[in-house]
Amino acid sequence: MSQENRAAKGYIYPAVVTTAGIALWLAATASFFVETAWREQLAVLALLPLAVVTGLFPNSIPLPSSLKLPQEKMTFTLSDALVLLIACKFGFAACVFVAGVEGLTSSRRAVRRLSSNLYSFGMMSLAAAAAALTLWLVLRYGFAESFNTSPAFPSIAIGALAASIVHISVNTALVAVLFAARLGNPVMRSWRENLLVAAPLFLPTSAAASLMYIALQYNALMMIAIGAPILVAIHFGHRQYRDSLHEKIALIESAQQERIHLMEKAHRETIEALAVTINAKDEVTHEHVMRVQIYAAGVARLLGCSDAEIEALKAGALLHDIGKIAVPDYIINKPGKLTAAEFEKMKVHTLVGAQILGRVAFPYPVVPVVRHHHERWDGLGYPDALAGEEIPLTARILSVVDCFDAVREDRQYRKAMTREEALDFIMSGSGTMYDPRVVGTFITHLPEFEAEILAHRGHPAPNYGITPAEELSEAARIVRPAAGLAESNATEKLENANFSLKELRGLYELAQGLNSTRGYDSLVAFVEKLSEIVPFDSCALTLLDSASTDHVVAHAGGKHAEKLRGRRIATGEGVTGWVLANRQPFCNTDPKLDFPPQLAEHFADYRTLAAFPIIKGTEMYGALTLYSSQLTEYSTAHRRLLEEAVGLIAATLSTGADTATLAARPPIPTTILLESELNM
């Protein structure tokens, strides 16, 4: 049912019940005062204040929690027994007259809202009419021989019981239909649950009405003497029942809260476990996650997202790249552009992430965020090529805010942008990559989000389960597989390994230079001879420092050699670090990606680089990296020569040269300046 239809029914239904009840009450009241003997009228009017007074001591119990009505309750008064008594003694019209008045007065005491008061007035009139009619039918057709005389106690008891059952059924049915009209609850389930809760409170009133009826045959004092203790006993029984229900509900709510707490704890631990998995593949900073969560939650609130969607965005800010566990490390950490085949493998992370998180019963819709955060507004994204409003709003929000924050951090394949550059980048993608409404909202309110981020500084930030990965012990490093280690080539052989006469002469002289020198001098000779066969402006020979986990540039040549020599490089840091970590060459990317910011400024005009691992067999010795400001790329011929050259230096180092000694050797006094050779 639509929200509009539900709201319409929520207003129409109470109006119908109220109108019908008031019309019935007016008709019954007119009949009572016109057709009833004045003595009976006086008797009923004398009982009316008693019914009103007993209605001032209600007992309220909460409705079943399955109805999703935490603010609603059902109220019972002892006046129901008096209403049944009046039905037994004075008939239909008197019963409806008293029930309507009592319903209005008790409602006014509980709620000072005229619409609710009139609805209670009408509802109680209809329920009393149904009960009085049932009593008349039971006496008329069940006990016909005593119908025109004073009915005996058994007939009154049975009739009152039947009337009480009808009274409670009609009462709860009217309440159930009201809830169904307003809130969309199932009518029959609501009615059954109301009936089960109300029956223990309604049914004793039929017995009380029967006993008071018998006592009233004698006189009013006898009725009060017998009825008062019974009504007091029923009142305290109602209270005991109410208290037991409250205690039961409190226990149920406590159990539910404990269950919710355990579920939240399980989800939090699941998220942290997945975050550890992400960090093992693609390092994520706590600050990046926090900023993206603040951006995403702020934009989501402004665009009217629900609390569940906001929670999904917060989780998605951390987990959206969980699928990268299916992407090879060399692609994730590649310090340059991806090939078409590599990008196809990278795209799969959205599907794998959605599949992983789909196995966890998150209480908020995080899977659409993860699956669709790389969709584009123009339909050219992946994995499903959704366009425009087809893309979930949460995914559209995350794609904007995550990109804005990510481009302001250094990555393997590019340097960080400034705030202004990042804003220009986001705005340039508005209407093509990104939802224009999301972009506009984000940029408009960015100062507010940045102020919130600034307020978090200086306070302990959650680590989201992201902790440094535990490293292998030295004992573990020397363990070999039971079947032994396979031989492997450190680099792939390039095709067409035929060299020109000049290239062969250059390689021969390079080998001769290495054979005629030892120790640190062999590194100097290698760089000097290498410049004659492969062009470069700067060159760095990086060797493993066995005294630490870092590598160190043992020798450098060409421009800025003094700035390169002695530089320490961690595994995975920059292009050279990537080559050392993956044991694969990497060529033709922005040389600035290989340097920290303070060093990169000296290589601002450099255009390309080539980096090769120095490996012999399974042993890694270091890496050779060439930088050029003249070449746009290192050709296949250059790479073939470099592959042979690193093979020669690897063979030299494998003969027993102590790389730790070479790495620690102080720089030579004079800088070797080598001219680039562009035409070979």
Side-chain angles (χ1 to χ4, degrees):
M1 183 188 299
S2 69
Q3 195 72 20
E4 293 79 7
N5 290 339
R6 187 177 299 162
K9 289 188 176 183
Y11 287 109
I12 294 172
Y13 171 76
V16 171
V17 172
T18 300
T19 303
I22 292 175
L24 179 63
W25 183 85
L26 290 173
T29 300
S31 174
F32 170 68
F33 283 106
V34 171
E35 300 177 4
T36 305
W38 67 271
R39 291 181 183 276
E40 292 183 354
Q41 291 178 5
L42 290 177
V44 170
L45 292 174
L47 289 172
L48 179 59
L50 183 60
V52 172
V53 170
T54 55
L56 299 179
F57 301 94
N59 279 310
S60 299
I61 62 171
L63 290 172
S65 59
S66 61
L67 297 180
K68 301 178 182 178
L69 298 168
Q71 302 294 329
E72 299 292 342
K73 58 188 178 180
M74 191 175 291
T75 302
F76 300 90
T77 66
L78 297 175
S79 59
D80 296 322
L82 293 172
V83 170
L84 285 176
L85 170 62
I86 292 171
C88 294
K89 182 65 177 175
F90 302 106
F92 180 91
C95 172
V96 174
F97 166 67
V98 173
V101 174
E102 188 280 327
L104 180 63
T105 55
S106 61
S107 174
R108 287 294 292 173
R109 185 175 183 274
V111 179
R112 293 285 179 172
R113 188 168 60 244
L114 184 59
S115 59
S116 297
N117 301 147
L118 292 177
Y119 178 79
S120 296
F121 175 73
M123 184 178 70
M124 294 305 296
S125 298
L126 292 172
L133 181 61
T134 301
L135 176 64
W136 181 83
L137 291 172
V138 170
L139 295 178
R140 174 68 178 82
Y141 296 101
F143 302 93
E145 68 281 359
S146 61
F147 179 71
N148 293 322
T149 62
S150 296
F153 178 74
S155 59
I156 284 295
I158 294 173
L161 178 61
S164 181
I165 292 173
V166 171
H167 189 274
I168 180 179
S169 299
V170 172
N171 200 328
T172 53
L174 293 173
V175 172
V177 176
L178 174 64
F179 291 157
R182 286 186 173 177
L183 305 173
N185 293 320
V187 176
M188 291 305 297
R189 189 188 74 180
S190 175
W191 179 67
R192 284 195 304 269
E193 293 184 352
N194 275 295
L195 187 62
L196 290 174
V197 171
L201 299 175
F202 264 107
L203 293 179
T205 60
S206 65
S210 301
L211 291 173
M212 287 190 293
Y213 173 81
I214 297 300
L216 189 59
Q217 303 306 310
Y218 293 92
N219 55 57
L221 291 177
M222 182 64 70
M223 183 204 73
I224 295 174
I226 292 176
I230 295 175
L231 293 178
V232 171
I234 293 175
H235 176 74
F236 283 103
H238 283 183
R239 290 185 61 180
Q240 184 68 26
Y241 180 69
R242 177 200 64 190
D243 293 342
S244 66
L245 273 181
H246 276 295
E247 184 177 350
K248 181 180 178 181
I249 290 171
L251 290 174
I252 293 173
E253 290 179 347
S254 177
Q256 289 176 337
Q257 289 298 322
E258 180 65 21
R259 207 158 44 240
I260 291 171
H261 174 73
L262 291 175
M263 288 180 63
E264 289 176 346
K265 182 174 181 290
H267 285 131
R268 184 172 61 253
E269 290 174 347
T270 299
I271 289 174
E272 291 183 352
L274 293 172
V276 172
T277 305
I278 295 173
N279 195 51
K281 290 283 287 186
D282 188 15
E283 187 173 346
V284 178
T285 64
H286 310 154
E287 293 78 10
H288 170 68
V289 173
M290 181 196 71
R291 290 193 299 267
V292 173
Q293 286 183 336
I294 289 174
Y295 292 147
V299 174
R301 290 190 191 96
L302 292 168
L303 295 180
C305 290
S306 65
D307 291 341
E309 289 173 322
I310 292 173
E311 289 302 314
L313 272 168
K314 289 180 179 179
L318 178 60
L319 301 179
H320 61 281
D321 281 336
I322 181 65
K324 286 186 177 179
I325 63 173
V327 182
D329 287 346
Y330 78 90
I331 294 178
I332 292 175
N333 298 319
K334 186 175 182 180
K337 296 179 180 179
L338 301 180
T339 65
E342 290 169 342
F343 189 47
E344 287 302 307
K345 293 180 180 179
M346 178 64 81
K347 291 177 185 177
V348 173
H349 83 276
T350 56
L351 300 176
V352 174
Q355 191 175 28
I356 291 171
L357 298 182
R359 300 293 191 273
V360 182
F362 285 104
Y364 35 75
V366 68
V367 174
V369 180
V370 173
R371 182 181 179 95
H372 299 296
H373 71 280
H374 279 295
E375 303 284 2
R376 289 172 51 115
W377 183 255
D378 57 12
L380 300 179
Y382 64 90
D384 298 318
L386 301 181
E389 299 289 342
E390 295 176 343
I391 308 168
L393 177 58
T394 48
R396 283 180 267 151
I397 292 171
L398 183 65
S399 65
V400 171
V401 302
D402 183 59
C403 178
F404 174 78
D405 198 76
V407 297
R408 297 179 67 187
E409 292 185 335
D410 285 336
R411 290 291 188 266
Q412 294 92 338
Y413 49 88
R414 53 146 180 81
K415 288 296 180 181
M417 295 183 184
T418 65
R419 180 182 185 274
E420 290 69 27
E421 290 171 340
L423 285 173
D424 289 342
F425 180 77
I426 293 296
M427 286 189 289
S428 67
S430 178
T432 53
M433 293 179 63
Y434 308 121
D435 180 350
R437 185 166 64 113
V438 173
V439 172
T441 302
F442 174 64
I443 292 177
T444 301
H445 296 272
L446 180 58
E448 301 168 23
F449 305 147
E450 290 174 332
E452 185 177 350
I453 291 169
L454 188 62
H456 280 78
R457 291 182 181 172
H459 298 284
N463 62 13
Y464 307 104
I466 301 173
T467 55
E470 185 177 357
E471 296 186 357
L472 289 173
S473 65
E474 289 302 318
R477 293 179 188 277
I478 64 175
V479 174
R480 295 293 183 265
L485 289 171
E487 292 292 330
S488 62
N489 292 324
T491 61
E492 294 184 3
K493 292 290 183 181
L494 296 171
E495 69 279 5
N496 303 323
N498 296 319
F499 299 106
S500 66
L501 183 61
K502 180 180 180 182
E503 290 170 340
L504 287 173
R505 185 183 302 113
L507 289 172
Y508 174 76
E509 292 177 356
L510 180 62
Q512 287 292 97
L514 290 173
N515 289 333
S516 62
T517 55
R518 291 291 182 271
Y520 186 77
D521 291 338
S522 64
L523 304 183
V524 177
F526 175 77
V527 171
E528 186 176 30
K529 295 296 183 181
L530 182 65
S531 66
E532 298 175 4
I533 57 175
V534 180
F536 60 81
D537 288 288
S538 301
C539 170
L541 263 173
T542 305
L543 301 180
L544 174 64
D545 183 357
S546 59
S548 70
T549 58
D550 290 344
H551 298 72
V552 62
V553 178
H555 181 61
K559 296 178 183 178
H560 310 301
E562 72 284 356
K563 301 183 184 303
L564 296 174
R565 195 179 301 120
R567 175 190 170 214
R568 305 192 75 82
I569 301 173
T571 301
E573 180 186 354
V575 179
T576 301
W578 186 91
V579 168
L580 292 166
N582 292 277
R583 293 172 166 247
Q584 296 184 38
F586 195 94
C587 301
N588 301 324
T589 191
D590 186 353
K592 292 188 290 299
L593 295 175
D594 199 32
F595 305 115
Q598 63 273 20
L599 187 57
E601 62 185 21
H602 298 288
F603 295 84
D605 59 342
Y606 279 53
R607 305 171 70 184
T608 191
L609 63 73
F612 277 73
I614 302 174
I615 301 175
K616 183 172 178 59
T618 60
E619 193 68 27
M620 165 74 80
Y621 296 99
L624 168 69
T625 309
L626 307 183
Y627 309 93
S628 176
S629 63
Q630 302 299 317
L631 296 178
T632 57
E633 66 173 23
Y634 280 93
S635 66
T636 301
H638 293 145
R639 298 200 296 272
R640 283 190 289 127
L641 289 167
L642 284 171
E643 186 177 1
E644 295 297 327
V646 295
L648 293 173
I649 188 65
T652 299
L653 294 173
S654 69
T655 59
D658 185 352
T659 56
T661 301
L662 293 174
R665 175 91 178 218
I668 58 177
T670 59
T671 301
I672 302 175
L673 299 178
L674 301 171
E675 295 294 327
S676 300
E677 296 182 24
L678 298 180
N679 300 310
M680 297 184 62

